Amino acid sequence: MTPESHAPTSTDDDLRPGPPPGCPAHGLGPGGLHRLHEAEDLGALYEQLREQHGPVAPVLLHDDVPMWVVLGHAENLHMVRSPSQYCRDSRIWTPLREGLVKPDHPLMPHIAWQPIASHAEGDEHKRLRGAVMGAVSTIDFRSLRRYINRSTQVIVNRFCEAGEAELVSQFTEHLPMAVMCEILGMPEEYNDRLVEAARDALKGTETAIASHSYVMEALSRLTALRRAQPEEDLASYLITHPARLTDDEVREHLRLVLFAAYEATTNLLSNVLLTVLIDPRFRAQLNGGQMTVPEAVEQSLWNEPPFSTVFAYFAKQETELGGQRIRRGDGLLFAPLPANVDPRVRPDLKASMQGNRSHLAFGGGPHECPGQDIGRSIADVGVDALLMRLPDVELDCDQEELRWTASIASRHLVELPVQFAPKPPQDVQEVPNHKPVAAQRSDWQIGTAQPQAPAQPQPAAAQPQPAAAQPQPVAAQPQPDPVLPQPVPVQPAVAEPAHRKGLWQRFLSWWRGY
């Protein structure tokens, strides 16, 4: 694909200086094609391209490299489900073969071919993806949900007494890393430095290479350790899988799983929490039981998928897609963001999508995300546990003050300041709850034999006044003489509920990992 194939050629126009920022023509390149990386509002540009070109539109990347962006839901699905026509192997990409894409191109880390499952085809793809899927299939999701609960407790305990927090840097960037380190088999590596390194490596800053090296060193240590001493974790299962992955292959797939799951889940957590905070109707539905947290997560995956676009698919032969002629070697962007709002599948964007999982947030076809259930579990349990601990959490700024950083690949919420009534830290082994530990509560409980040492020396004379100050569940105890240690059999009413949970409540407790 070349820009000239979509617009009349005009060398004079191509040589003219581009329009200044703010001009309606800003962001246009050769042939009048839009430069995706210069778009201030990518969602609005996608809708403009849909109106102009239909479900598949020609665009430009950095250095005016031509690319197609697939906007339609059906067209995206066809592309990812047709390995005979489209692949992830960038070595057949015409601009790359013709030298238009330089080694230092900003998108090369995303597009450059690597010997990993997401770029492989045929038998090699089956071997590598089989190892990854086999390792993921060994995860005990009930135990995982328990670990997510405990991790949420630990993280919330760090700021619950302050009455305020910034949930992106203090929660949504930490929970996925804590959980992924446990899944991979390196919980001791989880710390603030690893979180910062992962975020920096994904942002592509000047220190991104050093940050990426820091993460890879941790994965190299893990690979060497598990090669010598396998345990019950994902790294060990990759190593011991019949596919016989080399140390380099194990390390590269651990990197792929860690970065992809971390980035996607961080964005998903932020998006779900933001929706809960800014939409009163949504919050009321959630608290009222009309919408569960998993349903809230799926709604967010429709409206704001963690990845706006995915780099990239490449045409293995000349074909047609969405009314456009696709030539062999053309590159195409898989784009969940515009596909999820395709008017043909969502004519009314305000309509609830409860129970509908046909969004493209996790891709599809042979390269569908193998860890999507991990991401869903982190979001489901993490958001539920946070709201149980901080039920009165509110946004601590105007919605218009929220800031985002955006790229072609994704959009990130910069910060999410909140406030809430200060809460005491909670035992990480307990079920998350928002019961306040009030100062007037003592160790005394109904039915116990020892009300309190200081209170016993005052029999009948002091009875009328302190009656209001002490918790008095029983009114018929005016005499101090009768000894009450014997009525201990009445205690089960407090220590254990009188009736056991119903089947549905027990299932929910099991599902949430309590």
Side-chain angles (χ1 to χ4, degrees), residues 1-15 29-35 53 58-60 63-68 94-95 98 100 324-325 327 330:
M1 182 185 79
T2 59
E4 290 77 12
S5 63
H6 307 286
T9 57
S10 174
T11 54
D12 292 338
D13 289 344
D14 293 348
L15 295 175
L33 300 184
H34 286 272
R35 296 184 174 105
H53 300 280
V59 294
L60 298 172
D63 300 337
D64 288 340
V65 175
M67 180 71 76
W68 296 100
T94 299
E98 294 180 351
L100 296 178
Q324 300 285 8
R325 177 190 175 191
R327 298 177 180 176
D330 280 0

Side-chain angles (χ1 to χ4, degrees), residues 170-360:
Q170 292 182 270
F171 183 72
T172 67
E173 291 183 352
H174 278 266
L175 181 60
M177 183 58 75
V179 176
M180 290 311 301
C181 283
E182 171 70 13
I183 291 175
L184 266 57
M186 54 179 198
E188 71 285 348
E189 296 281 359
Y190 165 66
N191 55 32
D192 292 345
R193 176 71 182 95
L194 189 64
V195 171
E196 292 169 5
R199 295 300 291 154
D200 189 50
L202 292 167
K203 289 176 181 176
T205 63
E206 294 180 356
T207 57
I209 295 178
S211 296
H212 184 270
S213 298
Y214 179 87
V215 177
M216 291 306 293
E217 288 171 6
L219 296 177
S220 296
R221 290 193 298 271
L222 174 64
T223 302
L225 180 62
R226 291 296 178 261
R227 179 73 72 179
Q229 185 180 352
E231 293 189 6
E232 301 291 324
D233 52 50
L234 192 139
S236 298
Y237 285 116
L238 278 179
I239 290 171
T240 59
H241 192 272
R244 296 185 178 277
L245 271 61
T246 66
D247 282 359
D248 286 344
E249 288 174 333
V250 170
R251 184 171 54 250
E252 287 301 314
H253 284 87
L254 290 175
R255 176 187 64 83
L256 177 65
V257 170
L258 178 64
F259 278 124
Y262 176 67
E263 172 80 349
T265 311
T266 295
N267 289 343
L268 178 58
L269 278 170
S270 298
N271 295 339
V272 173
L273 286 171
L274 175 60
T275 306
V276 169
L277 292 171
I278 66 176
D279 190 341
R281 296 169 302 172
F282 183 96
R283 186 72 176 269
Q285 282 184 317
L286 194 64
N287 289 341
Q290 299 175 34
M291 178 182 287
T292 65
V293 173
E295 289 171 338
V297 171
E298 295 304 320
Q299 184 73 36
S300 178
L301 289 169
W302 272 103
N303 296 338
E304 188 78 41
F307 291 110
S308 308
T309 58
V310 176
F311 297 92
Y313 282 76
F314 307 94
K316 300 168 67 175
Q317 61 188 28
E318 185 163 328
T319 184
E320 182 272 339
L321 184 66
Q324 300 285 8
R325 177 190 175 191
I326 309 298
R327 298 177 180 176
R328 184 182 186 280
D330 280 0
L332 304 95
L333 294 179
F334 170 64
L337 179 63
N340 281 356
V341 294
D342 187 339
R344 294 174 296 177
V345 296
R346 289 185 72 185
D348 181 6
L349 295 181
K350 296 181 180 179
S352 171
M353 302 302 288
Q354 290 187 39
N356 189 335
R357 280 194 173 189
S358 60
H359 56 74
L360 300 182

